[in-house]
Amino acid sequence: MARVLVADDASFMRQMIREIVESEGFEVCGEASDGIEAVDQFKKLQPDVVTMDIVMPLKSGIDAVRGIVALDPGARVVMCSALGQETLVAEAIQAGAKDFIVKPFKPDAVVETLKKVLEKED
Amino acid sequence: MDLAKYRQVFIEESTEHLAEMSSALLELEKDFADGEAIDLIFRMAHSIKGMAASLEFDSITQVSHALEDRMQEIRQAGCVADFEELAVLFRGLERLESMVATIRETDETPAPDPALAAVLANRLDESLPAQDAPKKKALPPIL
């Protein structure tokens, strides 16, 4: 069972992602509500994949990706973006994110993206 | 996915966000270049937009999106331009508060406010009747 770390400053979004991924048999091993916590939780929990919001307090999702990739160059991070954030998504991919999902979330797309990223070789 | 249960989460979380935005706007009133307040309002508007879009509250999505875009422009400028711009931000906040209150109190989807969204997006000519619209001036693109 793949272990997922969910990073988003909105509890609403964390709950929604948790429901989507748990319904497909993933385990949510932790949550983070800002970029600093996301890096700390990654270090502590060593999840198989991270869903990372772009806009978060204290440290942005993009900076959190940089922090995570510095800890583990093979880390699998999927960005959660909104329409209009294409430039930021491109920046996140350059920073080491593997893929992205777009809000509002479509459950099938979320699951498909996570599975695809998990299947990829490092 | 049963979205009905997320409605209450939306009401609670957006109400908290709007209270934080209100405090931040009062800080901005004292200091137009308060970077923390500018960032906070931007993030809160972004967050409300995402939640509202998930629940298909299109009117809230529209206003919060326009507010987010306006805050992004202010972030790039480094400060609020003047009291007129600050008043526009307060209008955006008040409208979002009333829209969330509509959902809380009536369980109905609030009516759209395209005129306010246009004002927030700095498209004044679209917010006024044609005869009152000022001459079109060059404005930055709205993404």
Side-chain angles (χ1 to χ4, degrees):
Chain A
M1 182 190 293
R3 298 166 66 250
V4 185
L5 171 62
V6 179
D8 198 306
D9 59 334
S11 163
F12 178 101
M13 291 298 173
R14 294 198 303 274
Q15 287 182 47
M16 196 168 263
I17 293 176
R18 177 183 280 275
E19 183 178 343
I20 291 169
V21 302
E22 285 183 343
S23 71
E24 287 292 321
F26 294 91
E27 176 200 348
V28 175
C29 61
E31 295 184 4
S33 57
D34 62 59
I36 291 176
E37 195 182 5
V39 179
D40 288 346
Q41 289 286 73
F42 179 86
K43 202 173 176 179
K44 184 176 146 196
L45 301 169
Q46 297 290 306
D48 298 305
V49 63
V50 183
T51 64
M52 181 79 75
D53 187 25
I54 291 181
V55 178
M56 287 199 290
L58 303 180
K59 187 193 277 273
S60 76
I62 296 172
D63 285 338
V65 171
R66 292 193 180 100
I68 286 172
V69 170
L71 290 169
D72 175 3
R76 297 177 175 99
V77 183
V78 172
M79 304 309 291
C80 302
S81 75
L83 290 175
Q85 289 187 313
E86 292 80 4
T87 308
L88 293 173
V89 169
E91 197 181 331
I93 299 286
Q94 270 203 323
K98 303 290 188 198
D99 211 328
F100 66 96
I101 48 181
V102 180
K103 298 176 195 172
F105 298 128
K106 291 185 171 60
D108 290 349
V110 172
V111 171
E112 193 180 315
T113 303
L114 292 187
K115 284 182 176 171
K116 190 174 73 179
V117 165
L118 284 162
E119 281 165 8
K120 274 186 189 167
E121 294 293 326
D122 287 345
Chain B
M1 180 182 286
D2 176 18
L3 290 177
K5 69 179 181 185
Y6 287 97
R7 181 178 282 239
Q8 189 57 34
V9 182
F10 168 76
I11 291 169
E12 287 167 13
E13 201 157 4
S14 57
T15 300
E16 285 170 19
H17 285 358
L18 291 168
E20 286 190 64
M21 282 169 69
S22 177
S23 300
L25 276 173
L26 293 172
E27 292 302 315
L28 264 188
E29 197 169 26
K30 293 180 213 157
D31 176 6
F32 281 7
D34 185 329
E36 270 187 39
I38 291 169
D39 277 351
L40 186 140
I41 298 163
F42 169 77
R43 281 193 287 102
M44 298 294 105
H46 173 79
S47 189
I48 290 170
K49 178 192 77 174
M51 292 189 283
S54 299
L55 295 175
E56 298 180 349
F57 292 141
D58 295 342
S59 51
I60 297 182
T61 305
Q62 184 185 39
V63 172
S64 53
H65 192 176
L67 180 58
E68 177 193 14
D69 283 350
R70 184 64 169 260
M71 292 312 300
Q72 178 61 15
E73 288 176 19
I74 291 170
R75 285 171 101 197
Q76 285 163 352
C79 64
V80 173
D82 49 29
F83 278 106
E84 194 180 331
E85 182 163 48
L86 191 66
V88 169
L89 302 180
F90 271 110
R91 277 183 63 192
L93 168 70
E94 285 162 9
R95 193 71 190 96
L96 287 173
E97 286 173 335
S98 87
M99 286 173 161
V100 172
T102 297
I103 297 169
R104 186 192 305 114
E105 290 158 16
T106 68
D107 210 29
E108 286 178 9
T109 302
D113 191 342
L116 176 59
V119 170
L120 280 165
N122 224 351
R123 295 192 300 260
L124 287 172
D125 49 338
E126 291 176 23
S127 69
L128 298 169
Q131 66 271 21
D132 296 332
K135 281 185 182 175
K136 194 160 185 150
K137 57 181 181 178
L139 293 169
I142 305 301
L143 300 175

